[in-house]
Amino acid sequence: MLNHLIERLAATRARQASWPAFAQRLQAHGQRLLDELHPLYGERADFAQVAEQLLQVAYEGWRERSPSLRQLDAVREATPDWFASEQMLGGVCYADLWAGGFKGVQAQIPYLKELGLTYLHLMPPYLCPQPHNDGGYAVSSYRATDPQLGSIEELRSLATQLRKAGISLVLDFVFNHTSDEHEWAQAARAGDPHYSGYYWMFPDRSEPDVYEQTVREIFPDEHPGAFSQLPDGRWVWTTFHSYQWDLNYSNPAVFTAMAREMLHIANLGVDFLRMDAVAFVWKRQGTPCENLPEAHHLLRAYNALARIAAPSLLFKSEAIVHPDDVVSYISPEECQVSYNPLQMALLWNSLATREVNLLQYALEQRHQLPAHTAWVNYVRSHDDIGWTFADEDAALYGINGFDHRQFLNRFFVNRFPGSFARGEPFQDNPLTGDCRISGTAASLCGLEQGDVHGVARLLLLYGVVLSSGGIPLLYLGDEVGTLNDHDYAQDAHKAVDSRWLHRPPRDVARYAQRQDPASQAGQLHAGLRHLIGLRRHLPLLAGGELSVFWTHNPAVLGYRRGSVEDGLLLLGNFSEQPQLVAAHVLSGLPAQARDLVSACGIALDQDLTLQPYQQLWLRLQA
C-alpha cells in the first residue's frame, strides 16, 4: 500500500522542490505509520483513503517547515541521544505568571542561560475559555494564543530566540480533549453530524451508564462520573472537566485533524511536545478506558508521522498511573522522554517517613529505560502530587498502600503531629479515600513555617533530580524558594482548584534576594547553582545508567553513576538527625574520595556521618 500511496502523491507533488526529501522520509518511516494505524482503522473500507489524506497532511507540514528547522532535524537525527547530555537542564513556568507573557520570557533569556537551562516548558499558551480553562488545558484553538500572553507570531519569535540561545522549547499537545469553545465543539453543539463525530456524544444515558461501570472519576469535585449533559439533553464524554470534551479517536478524521494541529505546533519551533493525558485517549466499553493498547498505537502513529514531517520533534509522556504503565509509554518509537512521577512521589515520601526504602527500591527495579530514551526527573510540577507508588512494592516492606497514602495526605496538609509541610488537599474524595496534594516545593519542605531544615530539604530533593539520570526539571520559582500563594482562594474562579496554591505569580522580592546569602532565596539560589554547575562538568551524569548502593541505614539513600574505580557515589540523608554509614558498607570502595559539593576530601575506610539532610557527591577514583 505504501508504494501505491507514494505514487499517488508523487503524481501531483513530484515537481515541487520539497518532494524528494519528503519521499525519502516517507520510504523510511511510512510503513511504520501504516502499521500503527492498521489496528485502529484497518478494518474500515476507506482505510486507503484515510492513509492517503494523512500523508497529504504530513507533506503539508513538511513543506511549511522552515530551513532552520530542517537543518536542526539533520543535526538531531545524527545525534539521537542529544537530550541525554549532562548539559541538559529543564525549566517549566507559566509565561504570564513568571514573566508577564512571551516578550517577558524573551527578556529573561539571559537569566535562563545564567541558570543553565537548555530546555524550557511553557505551560499551554493556546487560546482557552475564560475563566474556566484548567490552567491552559482546555484548548479553544491550537493556532491562536491567549491574548494576554502575546500573539502566535510572538510565540514563534520567542522559539527562535530560545533556539539561538541553545534552549529547546517545550509545549503541550493537549490531544485527549478540546475545550467546549473550540470550533469543532461549537459545530457539534449546533448539531453538525461531521463534527459531532469528533466527540463522544450520546442522545441519552444508556451508553454512558455502561461506560461508567468501569471508568473512574478524575475530578469528582467538579462533576461526578465521566460525562456531562448539554442543554439539549445530549451527553458528552468529559473525563476531566465539563468544559473539556474528549475527542473520539475511533473516528480517523479526528486523528488526521489533530495531526495537522500537531505539525502546526511543531513548526513554530517546538523541540518537545508534552503529550497530555496519554492514558485516556482511547475508549472501549467494559474497560477502565485507560492505558488501552490502542492508546499506544495512537502515540506510535503520531511518532511515525513526526519522523516523516518534523524529524527533530520528540514526545514527552505525561502518564500519572501505575509505574508499570508509565514505563509502557517510553520507547524511541513512542515517547522518547517521560515524566518520572514515581521518583517525584517517593522523594516526598522519603521526607515524610525519613526512610528511603521505597525510593531505593524504585531506583533499583524501576529506573532503567530503553536505549535512546530518558526520564524527566522533577521535584514539582504545575499539577498536584499523587501517590503513584505500586502497592506491591510497598507490601515488600510491610506497608499497606492505602493506609500509607492516607498518612502522606495528612502529613503534607499539616494534619499529622510534627509535620513541617504546609500543603492543601486537592480532589479529596471521601468515597474512595483518594486525595492529592497541592503546594509549592518550598512550602512542602518547611520554608513557609521557617523550619531550620527547609532549605537543605529542598536542595536534597533537587540534588537527586540533578544526579540520578535523565533530564532534570526545575519548576521556576523553586530556585528562590517561592512559597504558597494563599491569595488564590480570593479569586472565585480559582478557589475551587487548590492547585493554584502552587502556581503563584513571580515573587519579585525573592528574586531580588537571590544574591543575598543571608536569605532563604539566596541560600537556595546559590545551592542550586552550585549543584547545576557540578552536573554540567560531570560527563558521568549523562544518560540514565545507575547502580543502587544500599547504605544499610534506613534514612540514607545511595546510588552510583559510573564504576567503582572511576565513578560518582551519591549519598543523601533524608532525616533531621545525623546518620552513619558504617565502614564495612563502604569497604568495597576506594579508601579516599572527594565530595564535590563541599570540595572536601572524605575518608571511606572508616564510618561516615552525614549531617541532617546532607548530600554527598563523592568522586571515586582508584
Side-chain angles (χ1 to χ4, degrees), residues 32-359:
R32 184 162 70 87
L33 174 60
L34 297 180
D35 289 346
E36 298 299 344
L37 291 174
H38 195 273
L40 306 175
Y41 312 121
E43 298 302 315
R44 295 174 59 101
D46 63 347
F47 179 60
Q49 290 91 333
V50 168
E52 183 175 355
Q53 185 178 11
L54 185 59
L55 294 185
Q56 289 173 346
V57 167
Y59 182 63
E60 292 166 8
W62 173 256
R63 285 190 65 192
E64 293 169 2
R65 200 149 175 81
S66 70
S68 63
L69 290 178
R70 290 192 192 178
Q71 183 179 16
L72 181 65
D73 292 338
V75 171
R76 294 278 168 79
E77 284 192 302
T79 53
D81 291 328
W82 66 271
F83 56 85
S85 165
E86 73 280 3
Q87 303 296 313
M88 286 295 290
L89 174 66
V92 58
C93 70
Y94 283 93
D96 54 342
L97 295 173
W98 191 73
F102 302 142
K103 289 183 177 179
V105 174
Q106 190 164 320
Q108 289 293 331
I109 288 177
Y111 172 74
L112 299 177
K113 289 187 66 177
E114 171 193 311
L115 200 55
L117 256 63
T118 60
Y119 159 126
L120 179 64
H121 179 187
L122 296 182
M123 301 308 295
Y126 313 111
L127 186 67
C128 286
Q130 298 296 337
H132 302 296
N133 57 35
D134 190 29
Y137 287 91
V139 178
S140 299
S141 173
Y142 299 91
R143 295 173 180 257
T145 52
D146 180 345
Q148 297 181 27
L149 301 179
S151 69
I152 195 77
E153 288 308 314
E154 287 172 337
L155 176 57
R156 191 187 304 274
S157 173
L158 173 59
T160 300
Q161 295 307 313
L162 287 169
R163 189 162 60 252
K164 289 179 179 178
I167 300 173
S168 296
L169 178 60
V170 186
L171 292 183
D172 286 81
F173 186 40
V174 185
F175 73 116
N176 175 71
H177 49 263
T178 73
S179 92
D180 60 358
E181 292 187 6
H182 195 285
E183 61 179 355
W184 303 340
Q186 293 196 31
R189 190 194 301 273
D192 184 309
H194 176 73
Y195 287 109
S196 293
Y198 275 38
Y199 301 94
W200 291 90
M201 305 192 81
F202 306 93
D204 54 42
R205 283 290 308 184
S206 300
E207 287 191 77
D209 285 344
V210 174
Y211 278 108
E212 286 193 344
Q213 291 176 16
T214 53
V215 301
R216 64 187 175 108
E217 293 180 330
I218 303 300
F219 290 155
D221 287 358
E222 201 275 340
H223 70 88
F227 298 86
S228 299
Q229 191 172 28
L230 304 181
D232 64 9
R234 288 180 294 168
W235 290 83
V236 62
W237 200 312
T238 56
T239 293
F240 299 105
H241 294 286
S242 59
Y243 51 83
Q244 291 169 308
W245 292 9
D246 285 39
L247 289 162
N248 180 3
Y249 277 98
S250 67
N251 178 358
V254 170
F255 184 89
T256 302
M258 288 300 289
R260 185 177 285 112
E261 303 309 297
M262 182 188 80
L263 294 178
H264 168 77
I265 296 169
N267 286 341
L268 293 172
V270 174
D271 295 279
F272 293 85
L273 285 180
R274 174 190 179 274
M275 308 299 278
D276 181 57
V278 295
F280 297 90
V281 294
W282 196 271
K283 278 72 168 166
R284 184 164 13 100
Q285 281 190 8
T287 75
C289 297
E290 294 183 45
N291 303 305
L292 297 181
E294 294 88 345
H296 295 281
H297 287 298
L298 273 175
L299 279 167
R300 290 195 292 266
Y302 276 126
N303 182 305
L305 187 74
R307 303 287 71 73
I308 295 167
S312 61
L313 181 68
L314 300 181
F315 292 170
K316 175 169 65 171
S317 167
E318 188 262 347
I320 313 302
V321 289
H322 187 282
D324 291 341
D325 292 320
V326 172
V327 173
S328 71
Y329 292 97
I330 308 170
S331 75
E333 296 75 33
E334 198 158 336
C335 293
Q336 295 89 349
V337 301
S338 172
Y339 281 114
N340 193 350
L342 179 63
Q343 185 185 92
M344 180 273 297
L346 294 182
L347 284 169
W348 293 108
N349 171 77
S350 298
L351 284 185
T353 62
R354 284 74 166 180
E355 293 188 348
V356 301
N357 45 17
L358 293 181
L359 179 56

